[in-house]
Amino acid sequence: MTILGIAAGLAGVLAAVFLHLGAQPQALLFSNLDLKEAGQITQALDQANIKYESRGDGSTIMVNRDEVAKARMLLAGKGLPTQGSVGYEIFDNAPALGQTEFVQNLNNQRALEGELARTIRSIRGIDSARVLLVMPKRELFQDEAQQPTASVVLGISGNDLNGDQVRAIRNLVASAVPNLKPEKVTVVDSRNHLLAAGDETDAALGVGAAQHKNEVEESLRKRVKEIVEGVVGPGAARVTVTADVDQTATTQEKTLYDPDGQVVRSTQTSESKDKSTSPDSNGVTTASANIPNGNPSAPGASASGNESGTTTETTNYEISTTKTTTVTQPGEVKKLAVSVAVDDSVTPSKDGKAPDTYAKRSADDMQKIDALVKAAIGYDQTRGDQVQVINVRFNHNVGDTVGGVASKAPLMDFDKNDIMRGAEIAVLLVVALLTLFLVARPLMKFINSGPTTYVTPGSVPMMAGAGPAPAVAGIPGNAAISAPATAVVPMPEPDGRIDIARIEGQVRASSVKKVSEFVERHPEESLSILRGWLHDS
């Protein structure tokens, strides 16, 4: 009864596990929902007969993994979820009359903020977004209105955003708002990290400086390794690249004047003449000389006069000028340092049993490899680039082997649900094996191995599938016979019956034949039975 009770309990556990595994695994539909929107979503799922489960405070909804796409398409058709933001649908049911200009402007700003937040949430790696816009109004008698500004708060899942992603978000917001410049957009994440401050230019963002440096180094390393391994063989080269990248942005303006390049721009000429006459009366004073408009000259007197002229010419020349504005963006490579290690040349053994032989590469080959490396990285001696190519024997006991890279096959792309499903199957397999070896097997052995059948004096044992067994020649009929039931092989039974004097009653001839076959097939067991009879007698 104890064994049967344990078996029943384990059977119940297995049944529960099987029922749990038979059910479809659940997957996340939406999380961090507004409770009001969560109620609308659950109501829509109930109408569509889609089973769901609410977790946490009700802001997380789980559905069957096979119905996630169907549920999201259904909810998207109803405009859910909106993450608490209001888009241009605010104007769908707005009254056509009765709204003031202030209310219309406010609704327009709310709709623009909501649409920008929805667009930003569609970017990979961003779970939530909130956009705040400040649109200054130009007051009366004001020359210029203040520039608009914006603030963006991001909820990030996973790694932090790099400089390119922050610049993309700033330009996205600036392009959607009139007169808004990207440097007027402040970006903050939910981890209290300032990604972009106001009045900070895109070039000054240092978020992606380290990533840009790593990208430059990795690109050059792959390029050098590809060309070197094409000469020495796969796995026979190790390459390391260190780049000094300038992360500062500079703007330089230069104006050059060419004194020899003169061009006449304009010429101006002015001319003036002056003429005057004075009387000469040789000291004689007359009345007519003092009368206005009178003749100053007396009869017989002479007059003297003078005449002068001036000519002025002005010529304007245009001097040739050259104005140059140079803007240097961050990311310029200032210096490179490349190290290349090349393995010795290997000669495989002919029989495959002896170890391979290694030999140093020639100086001519190393010079060619050095020239290839310099050409691949764009070697510039003036900026201080360094290239070191050496020949050294690798340690082949660890890592890759010469002639091929012992690369491991990448793991399959499992998600969290698949991992949990695999863990459940593994637990079920372990429980099934323990039940089979610790419960089922001992139970079957206990059931199949029944007690040994003995007969009383004057009778013979009963064999499986036959009547009373007859006495075999030389074997007393009143002895006990013990034999497994499986030892008897069923044979066709003839209809005839025989009488044996020493056996009470009648037995079938097939039963006697079965006993004979048992003795022939199991002589050792039969001998042990005979010895037991002799011992008992």
Side-chain angles (χ1 to χ4, degrees):
M1 294 299 295
T2 302
I3 295 176
L4 292 178
I6 295 174
L10 290 176
V13 172
L14 291 177
V17 173
F18 273 114
L19 290 176
H20 177 69
L21 292 178
Q24 294 185 4
Q26 290 188 338
L28 177 64
L29 181 63
F30 293 112
S31 61
N32 298 326
L33 292 172
D34 184 70
L35 295 182
K36 181 179 179 181
E37 288 192 348
Q40 297 176 357
I41 291 175
T42 54
Q43 183 178 2
L45 294 177
D46 289 334
Q47 294 176 357
N49 295 327
I50 297 178
K51 297 182 180 179
Y52 64 89
E53 179 181 355
S54 299
R55 296 184 181 180
D57 57 349
S59 61
T60 302
I61 299 178
M62 308 288 292
V63 297
N64 293 335
R65 185 168 59 180
D66 297 338
E67 296 181 346
V68 172
K70 177 182 177 181
R72 288 181 177 175
M73 293 177 64
L74 173 67
L75 296 173
K78 298 183 178 181
L80 295 173
T82 62
Q83 293 290 342
S85 61
V86 179
Y88 285 117
E89 66 273 5
I90 192 174
F91 297 104
D92 293 342
N93 299 323
L97 299 176
Q99 285 190 351
T100 63
E101 182 181 0
F102 174 78
V103 175
Q104 292 179 353
N105 294 335
L106 182 61
N107 290 338
N108 185 32
Q109 182 173 342
R110 290 181 58 194
L112 184 57
E113 291 175 349
E115 293 296 333
L116 285 175
R118 295 176 184 177
T119 305
I120 294 175
R121 283 197 301 268
S122 63
I123 300 176
R124 180 182 301 176
I126 298 178
D127 293 337
S128 61
R130 184 174 177 83
V131 180
L132 300 176
L133 299 177
V134 178
M135 308 291 292
K137 182 181 178 181
R138 183 174 179 177
E139 301 295 340
L140 189 62
F141 304 112
Q142 188 177 7
D143 294 338
E144 294 182 359
Q146 297 181 357
Q147 293 183 355
T149 58
S151 300
V152 181
V153 181
L154 304 176
I156 302 174
S157 62
N159 299 328
D160 295 334
L161 300 179
N162 55 31
D164 293 337
Q165 292 173 328
V166 175
R167 280 189 287 270
I169 293 175
R170 296 182 76 180
N171 284 274
L172 173 65
V173 176
S175 301
V177 180
N179 301 325
L180 178 61
K181 297 181 180 180
E183 55 268 18
K184 294 297 182 180
V185 179
T186 302
V187 182
V188 183
D189 65 0
S190 57
R191 304 171 185 173
N192 301 330
H193 294 164
L194 179 61
L195 303 181
D199 296 331
E200 184 179 13
T201 60
D202 292 341
L205 294 178
V207 181
Q211 183 179 3
H212 178 69
K213 181 177 180 295
N214 294 334
E215 291 177 356
V216 171
E217 293 177 349
E218 183 64 18
S219 176
L220 292 175
R221 190 191 68 83
K222 290 182 178 180
R223 188 186 308 172
V224 173
K225 185 176 181 181
E226 181 180 0
I227 192 171
V228 174
E229 287 187 346
V231 177
V232 300
R238 301 291 186 272
V239 181
T240 301
V241 178
T242 302
D244 186 5
V245 181
D246 187 8
Q247 300 296 339
T248 59
T250 58
T251 302
Q252 183 180 4
E253 293 185 359
K254 183 186 297 184
T255 304
L256 299 177
Y257 296 94
D258 186 8
D260 297 331
Q262 298 179 359
V263 179
V264 177
R265 182 178 182 181
S266 63
T267 302
Q268 182 179 3
T269 304
S270 60
E271 183 178 356
S272 63
K273 293 181 179 182
D274 187 12
K275 183 178 181 181
S276 62
T277 304
S278 60
D280 188 7
S281 59
N282 294 327
V284 178
T285 302
T286 62
S288 60
N290 295 322
I291 297 175
N293 299 327
N295 186 7
S297 300
S302 63
S304 63
N306 51 14
E307 184 177 353
S308 63
T310 304
T311 302
T312 303
E313 183 178 356
T314 303
T315 304
N316 296 324
Y317 293 92
E318 189 71 31
I319 299 176
S320 177
T321 59
T322 302
K323 186 175 182 180
T324 305
T325 303
T326 304
V327 179
T328 303
Q329 296 293 339
E332 181 181 0
V333 178
K334 299 171 59 177
K335 186 174 64 175
L336 290 176
V338 181
S339 300
V340 180
V342 181
D343 193 12
D344 294 342
S345 60
V346 59
T347 303
S349 59
K350 297 181 179 180
D351 54 358
K353 297 180 180 180
D356 300 337
T357 58
Y358 297 89
K360 293 292 183 181
R361 299 185 184 273
S362 62
D364 188 20
D365 292 342
M366 297 303 298
Q367 291 180 358
K368 293 179 180 179
I369 295 175
D370 183 78
L372 290 175
V373 172
K374 290 182 178 179
I377 65 172
Y379 177 78
D380 188 358
Q381 188 176 2
T382 57
R383 66 183 182 185
D385 293 349
Q386 296 180 0
V387 176
Q388 292 290 336
V389 181
I390 61 174
N391 179 207
V392 62
R393 181 177 176 181
F394 292 172
N395 183 8
H396 299 289
N397 295 329
V398 180
D400 301 337
T401 59
V402 175
V405 180
S407 60
K408 297 181 180 180
L411 296 177
M412 298 181 65
D413 188 12
F414 291 109
D415 57 4
K416 184 178 179 181
N417 295 326
D418 295 332
I419 295 176
M420 295 300 297
R421 182 75 172 180
E424 293 177 355
I425 295 176
V427 171
L428 175 62
L429 181 61
V430 172
V431 172
L433 292 176
L434 292 177
T435 305
L436 179 63
F437 287 100
L438 299 181
V439 178
R441 185 177 180 183
L443 184 62
M444 294 301 297
K445 185 182 294 185
F446 175 78
I447 295 175
N448 292 333
S449 61
T452 304
T453 303
Y454 291 93
V455 296
T456 58
S459 63
V460 296
M462 298 292 294
M463 306 301 292
V472 187
I475 301 177
N478 57 354
I481 299 178
S482 175
T486 58
V488 179
V489 180
M491 296 292 292
E493 297 182 0
D495 296 335
R497 297 179 180 273
I498 58 176
D499 294 331
I500 300 178
R502 299 183 60 180
I503 299 178
E504 297 179 358
Q506 295 181 350
V507 296
R508 296 180 181 179
S510 60
S511 301
V512 179
K513 187 176 180 180
K514 292 177 181 178
V515 175
S516 302
E517 291 176 354
F518 173 79
V519 174
E520 292 177 356
R521 296 182 179 180
H522 305 280
E524 296 181 358
E525 289 80 356
S526 302
L527 182 61
S528 63
I529 293 174
L530 293 176
R531 288 177 180 175
W533 289 346
L534 294 175
H535 178 72
D536 292 339
S537 62

